[in-house]
Amino acid sequence: MAARKHSGRMTLRFYPYELQLAHTFTVSSYSRTTTPDVQVEIDFDGITGYGEASMPPYLGHTVESVCAFLSKVDLSQFESPFLLEDIMEYLDSLSDGDSPAKAAIDIALHDLCGKLMGEPLFRIWGYNPAKAGPTTFTIGIDTPEVVREKTLECAGLYRILKVKVGLDSDEQMIRTIRSVTDLPLAVDANQGWKDRSKALDEIFWLKENGVVLVEQPLAKENIDDTAWLTERSPLPIIADEAIQRLKDIPRIKGAYSGINIKLMKCTGLLEARKMIAYARAEGMKVMVGCMTETSCACTAAAHLAPAVDFCDIDGNLLITNDLFKGMVVRDGLMQLPDSPGLGLTKI
Ligand code: MG
């Protein structure tokens, strides 16, 4: 990236913003109706870059921990937002964890760089926006009546649905959805299956019922059983909870067919793009997911879509108080905004 000369320094602002969920969200381990979130803005040369940290409770981050980390960050020591590598290395020197807070800064810096260059991120990276493709839309675990109703609501709007499984009601969930639509399905067990042989039987049954991908079937620590399962599975097995950052890939390669990259786990776009390259070099499939987020972080993730196999970028569609318009889904396909940086407009 060729940066012109800039005057001034970067300034960082942030504020908590609680996301309101449209429906109570249930996965195999918990339910919730809100998600804590922190919005980040970085100013430079009269331009503002937007970023976001979303903190689903199971990862252990809170508004307090994110704000405490962001308070320690001094961006004024860097000449410009184009020093992405130096800045992310500096953030990692401040703590081992705090991935969502680091991702918020990474996303805002990418937004700034794109705006300073006058181009959308996908174009700077050389990606074809026509290849952004479909995103799955997630249906949480619920009663058959609610699942049927939710499936009816979204079946005509998407080309693939994602179904949360991992409880005893898995077959009933799939049969209920199949009574409404024959769309392809991805399933996410969120570590909910306990026995590898039973999991394998279930995966064969799922394949017969139009499922195309299985996310995190077994406990993240259970790498040996997952390797056994992946070797025999007729469907790709994707690691989600088992992987956070680039350095985690060597530990799980061979045990999974692919990885689910989420910006809040991996500290943002800079590392996400390295993970895509590494996974490709290992012959692994790549999925990009998200947390419950506004269109800020979801649009950032969507800019990676042309470079990956599967996208699960529906976090912005699950909330009722979005702050931005960015990536939109039309006829089930993601449309990337064509304006500089992330391409967001404030609502
Ligand atoms: Mg998952």
Side-chain angles (χ1 to χ4, degrees), residues 297-325:
C298 282
T299 301
H303 278 272
L304 299 170
V308 306
D309 303 297
F310 302 101
C311 285
D312 177 28
I313 309 180
D314 61 354
N316 55 333
L317 305 171
L318 306 175
I319 64 168
T320 56
N321 59 340
D322 203 347
L323 289 167
F324 301 94
K325 182 165 183 278

Side-chain angles (χ1 to χ4, degrees), residues 193-243:
W193 294 339
K194 304 302 173 207
D195 178 89
R196 67 182 193 182
S197 298
K198 268 197 193 162
L200 185 62
D201 289 345
E202 179 148 355
I203 291 170
F204 274 103
W205 183 84
L206 290 168
K207 184 172 195 293
E208 283 170 23
N209 284 275
V211 171
V212 297
L213 162 159
V214 177
E215 210 179 308
Q216 201 63 54
L218 303 171
K220 63 182 179 187
E221 299 81 12
N222 199 347
I223 292 179
D224 291 346
D225 282 346
T226 305
W228 180 93
L229 189 60
T230 298
E231 208 182 310
R232 291 159 181 80
S233 171
L235 296 175
I237 305 290
I238 308 292
D240 184 3
E241 286 87 338
I243 181 164

Side-chain angles (χ1 to χ4, degrees), residues 50-160:
Y50 296 102
E52 170 177 25
S54 166
M55 295 84 73
Y58 62 89
L59 290 177
H61 306 286
T62 61
V63 167
E64 291 70 30
S65 70
V66 168
C67 291
F69 180 85
L70 293 173
S71 302
K72 283 190 287 190
V73 173
D74 173 20
L75 293 180
S76 71
Q77 63 189 293
F78 298 99
E79 195 178 300
S80 93
F82 289 100
L83 294 170
L84 282 167
E85 293 278 357
D86 288 1
I87 298 170
M88 296 313 291
E89 197 180 306
Y90 158 70
L91 296 184
D92 273 337
S93 76
L94 296 177
S95 76
D96 286 334
D98 296 299
S99 292
K102 292 171 184 175
I105 292 175
D106 165 283
I107 293 167
L109 291 172
H110 276 84
D111 191 29
L112 262 180
C113 291
K115 284 170 172 167
L116 290 161
M117 295 173 82
E119 296 289 351
L121 290 175
F122 68 78
R123 187 164 300 133
I124 293 167
W125 295 333
Y127 297 159
N128 179 356
K131 292 183 177 168
T135 176
T136 54
F137 183 81
T138 298
I139 299 185
I141 294 171
D142 219 314
T143 62
E145 292 69 34
V146 175
V147 167
R148 188 175 296 114
E149 184 193 324
K150 280 190 193 168
T151 308
L152 274 171
E153 270 173 35
C154 63
L157 304 174
Y158 299 92
R159 298 187 180 203
I160 177 168

Side-chain angles (χ1 to χ4, degrees), residues 162 164 188 190 215-216 240-241 260 262:
K162 177 164 146 178
K164 294 289 190 178
D188 188 351
N190 289 111
E215 210 179 308
Q216 201 63 54
D240 184 3
E241 286 87 338
N260 185 350
K262 293 178 180 169

